[in-house]
Structures are given as C-alpha cells and as structure tokens.
Amino acid sequence: MPDRAWKQNEREIARLWGGARNPRAGATRRTGSRGDVNHPALYIEVKSTSRVPFWTTWLKTSARAKSEGKQPLVIFKAKGRHGYVAMVDAKWLAHVLQHGKER
C-alpha cells in the first residue's frame, strides 16, 4: 500500500531538516516530542492541505514547542502544489541569520 501524501511530506521535511518522522505524532506524550518530525532543537509540524488556519496552527505549535524547550517551525504544503512554505518566529530567524546559531 503506497504512503499517503502527508506521510511522504513529513518524511521529506525530516530529511531536509536533519530529523526523523515521528509516526506517533500527537498520539501520546510517551513518544517524546509530539511534533511531526523529531528534531533536537525544533518542534516541527507539517501541514499538508489547501486550507489551514495559520494563526491557530502557529499558536498551538508555539505552545507545544515552548513546553519542550524548542523553537516552533510550521511547514505548509498545499495539495497539488510543489514546494513548501515555512512559518517561524521572525526574531528567532533574524538571530540565527545574524549569529549563525540557535538560542
């Protein structure tokens, strides 16, 4: 049975960001991070849809990231479109770009 598109997207993002797909994301806290991609510094959510409530998604992801001591990163992929769009905290991104490291 072929992988669902959203699983493929999560795997691709995991490879791009140097993490691993979390197959039990959101299912239980016992798996460690509840993000879609396990990463040591980032809490990564991948949304594969044409309609996403951006701010609601950002606020939920930010709260979860904070509880794990990580920076939030939301990746959006519109169905039927190529490429991804990332949402991060602008001040954090500016710091990383200016100083070359995460806080």
Side-chain angles (χ1 to χ4, degrees):
M1 181 176 200
D3 256 353
R4 308 273 301 214
W6 59 270
K7 286 184 183 180
Q8 292 173 3
N9 293 337
E10 289 176 359
R11 282 191 180 91
E12 184 174 1
I13 293 301
R15 280 192 301 273
L16 286 172
W17 287 86
R21 180 177 174 269
N22 183 1
R24 306 239 4 213
T28 177
R29 288 181 184 253
R30 288 177 286 174
T31 61
S33 177
R34 293 183 302 159
D36 293 327
V37 175
N38 288 325
H39 188 278
L42 301 169
Y43 186 98
I44 303 174
E45 280 291 315
V46 181
K47 298 297 179 191
S48 303
T49 184
S50 296
R51 293 184 178 187
V52 172
F54 288 99
W55 286 111
T56 301
T57 301
W58 176 253
L59 292 173
K60 285 181 182 179
T61 302
S62 295
R64 290 174 180 162
K66 184 177 180 179
S67 74
E68 294 186 19
K70 296 180 178 183
Q71 289 295 324
L73 170 62
V74 181
I75 306 287
F76 298 99
K77 170 80 166 86
K79 290 182 179 178
R81 305 273 184 182
H82 295 286
Y84 297 90
V85 174
M87 181 183 265
V88 297
D89 180 273
K91 289 181 181 179
W92 173 80
L93 180 59
H95 178 83
V96 170
L97 293 174
Q98 291 171 5
H99 303 282
K101 61 183 176 183
E102 299 166 6
R103 284 192 237 196

